[in-house]
Structures are given as structure tokens and as C-alpha cells.
Amino acid sequence: MIATTAHEPILQLSEHEQIPLKLVNQGLVTLLTTLQSQAFGQDSISLTDRETQTIVTLPNDYNCGAVGLDQETFFSALAQLKCVLIGSPTNWPEAYRFNLREAVLEAGLVKNVNQVIVIEDAIATALSELTSVREDSKTSTISEFRRGKILIVNVGATTTEMALVNFPDDGQDLTYSHFHCHSFAYGGQALDQDIVCQLLLKNENISPQTEKEKNQEQSTQLWPRPGYPDLSIRSQLQQWLQSSSYRQELLAAARNLKVILPSEKEFTLNIGDRQWSLQQQDLEKKVLEPFIQQLNQELNNFLSRVGISPVGINRALCTGGSGSWSGISRWLRQKLPNAIIVQDAKVNSENVELGQENLQ
């Protein structure tokens, strides 16, 4: 982020494109406005900034619903919202939380700031584990408070969040002091970048291209270390990747490859006149293993700070957009020998034509 001479915060999207940070906030407000009951049925949602008169418009392509509720009941619930909970990475500044609260209020979801609660992402996940459900002899379900030490690993878009909670015998006694949190500044976006750098922009994987293009791609960017935050390098890399339609396609392909390659030994990727023959083992060795090595170090430091041994953890929950890789669950099983490992189901790749799979 940079500032103009007028001291207006500016977000650098790419090497050639900047937008006022205020426009990002207005985009969030507009997106949240799609949850309003009056937004349903409209072709688009528009919001005008009172100071700059900037109009932000989004196509109303969003479908809202809730599992177990019909549309009428769901709309009725939205109209009676009493509280909005928002997830946030651990230790992110209060200014970030303030802007989130203000966006919710401006969108009209609730009226009072006390109705907007910002909570750490990993704690929000842990709260879903507060109760366990079992079936009795009559096949009816019974919820009871879960006990023991539970580890949360939430691999989000920008960070990997961890939380450790020792649930008391009575869940009603649970307080904020029962939680310990840790944040690692590496997530799904960094994984996408590492796939691009380690699998798609390596010399042996690029075919065909001119020598001039090779030199440009080698000299334009200093690649970040796979698995490491390297925040400054990654920020510049993201701007560079967003600065051409071809490199944007590489990013889109990377998002799909991290879903496809874990389940396919080989995959052939085609973008324009270029073709890559990608191996599952390359993804694991060049991208996933470095990430897990750093994740292991972060977890060691976290457990040491909290004063809990890995063998004392009873349950571990791995979630988030990039948390469904089987390699992560294998690592957790080795790391936490006495824990039950719970992992999100695998997500599907985006509806993008990438190439063809080679089944073996």
C-alpha cells in the first residue's frame, strides 16, 4: 500500500494499476449489502460513496441460503439478525477490525456496533467443536460438551491460524482465557505463488518460448522461498503476476492445480501455445513439503510457548481452503500420536479448462 500526495491511501494491485483503499472498503460494503432481503431479485447492487460520489456496482449473481432452512425461513432470519460474527487473523491491528465493523454497519445488516463481533478465525473454528453429537439407543441425537485439549489448524487465504483450547468439563465455563492463538503469515495465496514459481516458471517446465522471454522471466522477479512468508518479495511478486493476462492465467491455473495434482499422478496443463507435464511428486516435494516443514516449526514454537506436549493433544481439526491436502493430515497424525484428526472434505477445482489428466 502507498499514499498519494493528498495522503489518500492507495492499494497497488499490479505494476500498472492502483485503486483508492476506500474503494476496497466500499466494495466490501456493497458485497455485504447483497445479504439484505431487499437485494434479492435485483439485477445488480449499487452503493454510492457519500464523500466522493463514487458508485460501486456488483452484479447480483449471489445465491444465499442455509442448510436445513427453506428460502422463506432463511429470509425471515436475515431480517431479524441480532449479531454478526466476523473472522480475523490473530494479532491483526484494531484498525482492520474497526473497518470490518463499520462496513457491516454501513451495509445495514445490524444497527449497533455492539452487534458486530470480530473473533480470531481459529477460535471461531474451535467453537464449532464445543459440543459433540452422539446417538442413543433410540437413534435420537444428544449433544454434550466436548472435553480435552483440541488443536485447530486453519489454512486460510493469507495466513495459517492455529488455536489450542483445553475445554473445561462444563462448556458453560469456557472463557477467552482458555484459548491460545498463533498466526503464520503463509496461506493459500502463497501456495498459489509457489506453484507458479516452482512448477510453472522453472526453465525445465516451460515449453516452448523464445530465449528473450526466458531471460525476462528469470530476471524480472526474485522468487520467494517455498513455504516461507517472505512478505515483501511476495507482495512484489503478486503485483508482477497481476500485471499481464498471461501471468493472471498462471495464477488461476495454480489455484486449480493445488486441487487436481494431489489426486492425480500426472496432469498436462495447456495455456495458449505452452504446455506443462506436471507430476504429483513435484508438487509435494517443491511446494507442499516446504510448507509442512515451516508449519511444523511454527507448531513446535507454539506448543513450547503454551507449555503443552504434542502427546497431550486429544483432537486436531484441520480446516480452511488449503487445509484438505492429505499431506497435512499425515503430518498431523505423525505429530500428534494420541489425537483424533478431523479434516475438511476436498474441494473441487474451479470451472476452468486447464488441459487433460493422464491417469495411471
Side-chain angles (χ1 to χ4, degrees):
M1 186 178 71
I2 61 176
T4 65
T5 54
H7 305 291
E8 180 184 18
I10 296 294
L11 182 65
Q12 188 81 35
L13 290 181
S14 68
E15 292 178 334
H16 313 296
E17 186 179 8
Q18 302 173 345
I19 63 170
L21 191 59
K22 188 175 183 65
L23 192 61
V24 177
N25 178 72
Q26 291 301 316
L28 175 59
V29 173
T30 306
L31 184 62
L32 291 173
T33 304
T34 64
L35 294 173
Q36 291 278 36
S37 57
Q38 60 266 30
F40 295 99
Q42 299 181 16
D43 294 331
S44 62
I45 307 296
S46 298
L47 190 68
T48 303
D49 177 51
R50 290 188 293 269
E51 295 181 9
T52 65
Q53 295 301 305
T54 301
I55 299 177
V56 181
T57 302
L58 287 178
N60 194 8
D61 296 331
Y62 306 97
N63 295 315
C64 297
V67 176
L69 296 180
D70 58 38
Q71 287 292 83
E72 182 178 354
T73 304
F74 175 67
F75 293 155
S76 176
L78 276 182
Q80 302 176 60
L81 279 181
K82 301 299 182 184
C83 182
V84 175
L85 278 76
I86 306 174
S88 169
T90 302
N91 295 328
W92 275 32
E94 180 57 33
Y96 174 74
R97 297 184 174 211
F98 172 82
N99 287 328
L100 289 180
R101 294 188 192 99
E102 290 298 303
V104 170
L105 293 174
E106 189 172 347
L109 298 183
V110 291
K111 296 181 179 180
N112 194 304
V113 68
N114 294 328
Q115 295 175 279
V116 185
I117 299 174
V118 183
I119 191 171
E120 288 85 346
D121 289 326
I123 291 181
T125 304
L127 291 177
S128 69
E129 288 285 295
L130 178 58
T131 59
S132 61
V133 179
R134 61 181 176 85
E135 293 185 356
D136 66 9
S137 57
K138 298 180 181 179
T139 69
S140 61
T141 58
I142 298 176
S143 295
E144 56 185 17
F145 289 117
R146 201 182 294 281
R147 298 178 179 85
K149 299 179 180 66
I150 296 181
L151 173 70
I152 305 297
V153 179
N154 189 330
V155 187
T158 57
T159 64
T160 296
E161 301 294 312
M162 300 182 193
L164 189 62
V165 55
N166 188 5
F167 282 130
D169 291 339
D170 187 346
Q172 299 289 347
D173 297 330
L174 183 67
T175 66
Y176 190 81
S177 63
H178 286 93
F179 294 91
H180 301 276
C181 295
H182 180 73
S183 183
F184 175 41
Y186 184 102
Q189 292 179 358
L191 283 167
D192 296 341
Q193 291 180 341
D194 285 345
I195 291 174
V196 171
C197 295
Q198 300 300 318
L199 301 185
L200 303 183
L201 291 182
K202 288 289 187 179
N203 289 340
E204 62 270 21
N205 287 335
I206 297 178
S207 170
Q209 64 175 346
T210 66
E211 192 64 33
K212 179 180 179 181
E213 288 174 320
K214 286 184 180 180
N215 292 335
Q216 286 178 338
E217 287 176 343
Q218 288 175 342
S219 62
T220 301
Q221 195 64 46
L222 174 65
W223 303 144
R225 295 169 296 173
Y228 284 79
D230 288 343
L231 296 181
S232 177
I233 296 176
R234 290 190 183 278
S235 177
Q236 296 177 37
L237 172 62
Q238 189 69 15
Q239 294 174 18
W240 181 74
L241 290 172
Q242 293 288 353
S243 296
S244 79
S245 58
Y246 168 68
R247 294 194 287 265
Q248 289 175 11
E249 286 188 72
L250 292 179
L251 270 178
R255 287 192 291 270
N256 286 278
L257 288 171
K258 71 182 179 185
V259 177
I260 295 171
L261 275 180
S263 58
E264 304 293 342
K265 291 186 177 181
E266 291 186 11
F267 187 84
T268 300
L269 170 67
N270 295 291
I271 298 180
D273 61 350
R274 300 191 182 187
Q275 185 177 92
W276 293 260
S277 179
L278 302 166
Q279 307 288 325
Q280 182 186 85
Q281 62 182 4
D282 289 334
L283 175 70
E284 293 178 349
K285 291 182 179 180
K286 297 179 180 180
V287 178
L288 181 56
E289 288 182 7
F291 170 49
I292 290 180
Q293 289 171 3
Q294 294 305 309
L295 198 56
N296 185 68
Q297 184 62 48
E298 293 291 325
L299 180 57
N300 286 341
N301 295 338
F302 179 39
L303 295 180
S304 176
R305 174 167 59 86
V306 175
I308 292 180
S309 169
V311 298
I313 295 175
N314 309 108
R315 187 178 179 88
L317 179 61
C318 187
T319 185
S322 299
S324 60
W325 267 346
S326 59
I328 296 180
S329 61
R330 288 197 303 268
W331 161 68
L332 283 174
R333 289 189 182 95
Q334 295 173 355
K335 189 73 176 179
L336 312 173
N338 297 327
I340 297 173
I341 308 300
V342 181
Q343 189 175 30
D344 280 351
K346 291 183 178 180
V347 297
N348 295 321
S349 60
E350 297 175 6
N351 187 21
V352 177
E353 185 66 33
L354 293 178
Q356 61 185 9
E357 59 190 48
N358 298 324
L359 300 178
Q360 291 187 347

